[in-house]
């Protein structure tokens, strides 16, 4: 195992194939690196990883006929964006945020998630707050899912410097239309505890309002180092919070799920072990997002090649089926060969 790095996210070198180099040049640079032997149109299954290049912390936006994937900064720029019609075959579209906010410092833009808001799109993302020296949450706006996203605020939406900073923002629109933001305080970066928080957003999505609620903490043996990467989905009248814990730079990283009757909680973890964990084909699976399709729920997440943990090609993007029933939540895999594929 590699020793813990000095910051939460190591800046990993991107893949150096021709397509990756072209993608760094701008939008429409070519197809993303796909996994080997993908099933063609009309075939039932698919092969993982669905993106075989470095795209940590994938967040998914479903709008129109497309899925858009956003990831932590890399060779494509501050906010890499890819698109797909089926969650399997991805096309690199470039850097969705070419100009960073005045309050931020370049080089530490992480884990963006995008939500449709009226005729626009809001990207909630993590960046280094120059004033505090801590990671903070910002919100940027665009007229198109591919950007350009612009954050013209003088200050971050959320800094939480007294708790080590704030990272991993995840917006959620409840069934009544209320907007929420979930995130993690970056306590482990400052020798402090880390928690998952939830708070309501204003109607325009630009301010946090109401009570700030601490919704989850590390309280199970497998949840070493930190808890992070929250993402909520509603299903049959209940709410499911997918989160990650462990050391993201090795095989200890995995995914847990909690359930509640409202976003405000209380939340109850469904298992004392991860519902998605490392195996012989994928190491450190996690920090993903559940996605609803006509063939049910799927989880899009990153994982290392077990033979190249902490090395190129970085954290690759995987896709697994999610099953929710009376016995809890199961996430298939990680599996290279999968018999069923999503249908948009």
């Amino acid at each position: 195992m590699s020793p813990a790095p000095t910051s939460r996210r190591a800046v990993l070198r991107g893949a150096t194939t021709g397509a990756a180099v072209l993608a760094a040049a701008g939008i429409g640079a070519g197809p993303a690196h796909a996994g080997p032997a993908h099933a063609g149109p009309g075939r039932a299954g698919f092969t993982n990883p669905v993106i075989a290049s470095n795209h940590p912390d994938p967040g998914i936006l479903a709008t129109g006929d497309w899925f858009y994937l956003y990831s932590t900064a890399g060779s494509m720029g501050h906010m890499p964006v890819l698109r797909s019609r089926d969650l399997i075959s991805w096309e690199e579209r470039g850097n969705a945020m070419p100009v960073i906010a005045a309050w931020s410092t370049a080089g530490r833009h992480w884990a963006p998630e995008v939500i449709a808001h009226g005729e626009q799109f809001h990207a909630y993302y993590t960046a280094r707050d120059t004033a505090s020296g801590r990671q903070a949450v910002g919100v940027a706006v665009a007229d198109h899912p591919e950007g350009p996203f612009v954050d013209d605020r003088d200050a971050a939406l959320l800094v939480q410097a007294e708790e080590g900073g704030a990272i991993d923002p995840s917006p959620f629109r409840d069934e009544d239309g209320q907007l929420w933001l979930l995130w993690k305080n970056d306590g482990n970066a400052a020798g402090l505890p880390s928690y998952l928080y939830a708070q309501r957003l204003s109607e325009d999505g630009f301010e946090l309002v109401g009570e700030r609620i601490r919704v989850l903490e590390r309280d199970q043996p497998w949840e070493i180092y930190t808890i992070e990467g929250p993402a909520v989905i509603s299903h049959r009248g209940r709410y499911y919070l997918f989160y990650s814990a462990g050391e993201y730079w090795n095989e200890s990283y995995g995914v847990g799920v909690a359930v509640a009757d409202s976003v405000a909680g209380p939340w109850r973890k469904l298992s004392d072990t991860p519902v998605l964990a490392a195996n012989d084909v994928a190491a450190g699976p996690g920090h993903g997002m559940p996605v609803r399709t006509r063939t049910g729920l799927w989880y899009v997440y990153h994982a290392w090649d077990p033979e190249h943990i902490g090395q190129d090609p970085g954290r690759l993007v995987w896709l697994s089926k999610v099953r929710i029933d009376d016995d809890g939540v199961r996430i298939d895999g990680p599996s290279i060969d999968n018999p069923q594929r999503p249908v948009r």
Side-chain angles (χ1 to χ4, degrees), residues 134-156:
R134 294 293 184 188
Q135 293 297 93
V137 170
V139 55
V141 179
D143 294 326
H144 191 276
E146 295 177 16
F149 284 91
V150 176
D151 181 352
D152 58 5
R153 297 164 62 110
D154 294 329

Side-chain angles (χ1 to χ4, degrees), residues 92-289:
E92 293 175 348
R93 301 299 292 169
N95 181 12
M97 191 175 181
V99 179
I100 66 173
W103 58 263
S104 67
T105 298
R108 298 176 67 83
H109 283 61
W110 300 342
E113 291 191 16
V114 176
I115 191 170
H117 192 77
E119 298 298 317
Q120 294 184 310
F121 300 89
H122 289 191
Y124 296 84
Y125 68 98
T126 306
R128 174 64 56 144
D129 175 51
T130 304
S132 67
R134 294 293 184 188
Q135 293 297 93
V137 170
V139 55
V141 179
D143 294 326
H144 191 276
E146 295 177 16
F149 284 91
V150 176
D151 181 352
D152 58 5
R153 297 164 62 110
D154 294 329
L157 171 66
L158 172 67
V159 179
Q160 212 171 0
E162 71 282 0
E163 292 192 60
I167 69 171
D168 294 355
S170 182
F172 173 73
R173 180 175 284 105
D174 207 341
E175 294 176 359
D176 62 1
Q178 174 65 60
L179 288 171
W180 289 82
L181 189 70
L182 294 96
W183 74 91
K184 164 209 170 180
N185 74 292
D186 202 19
N188 51 276
L192 300 169
S194 294
Y195 304 94
L196 298 186
Y197 285 88
Q199 190 169 351
R200 289 184 295 114
L201 284 162
S202 58
E203 186 175 348
D204 63 9
F206 292 129
E207 303 296 336
L208 289 162
V209 297
E211 180 186 3
R212 182 170 299 175
I213 306 164
R214 187 178 287 176
V215 295
L216 282 186
E217 62 182 317
R218 292 191 302 117
D219 56 10
Q220 296 181 348
W222 73 272
E223 297 170 343
I224 62 173
Y225 182 63
T226 194
I227 185 170
E228 59 188 14
V232 169
I233 195 166
S234 61
H235 182 74
R236 296 180 178 176
R238 307 197 78 189
Y239 297 83
Y240 294 86
L241 171 52
F242 293 69
Y243 67 93
S244 294
E247 297 169 329
Y248 76 92
W249 61 90
N250 64 40
E251 65 274 10
S252 69
Y253 204 60
V255 177
V257 179
V259 65
D261 293 325
S262 74
V263 180
W267 290 90
R268 175 178 59 86
K269 293 178 182 177
L270 292 177
S271 172
D272 58 6
T273 58
V275 298
L276 186 68
N279 59 18
D280 58 347
V281 298
H287 197 136
M289 177 179 285

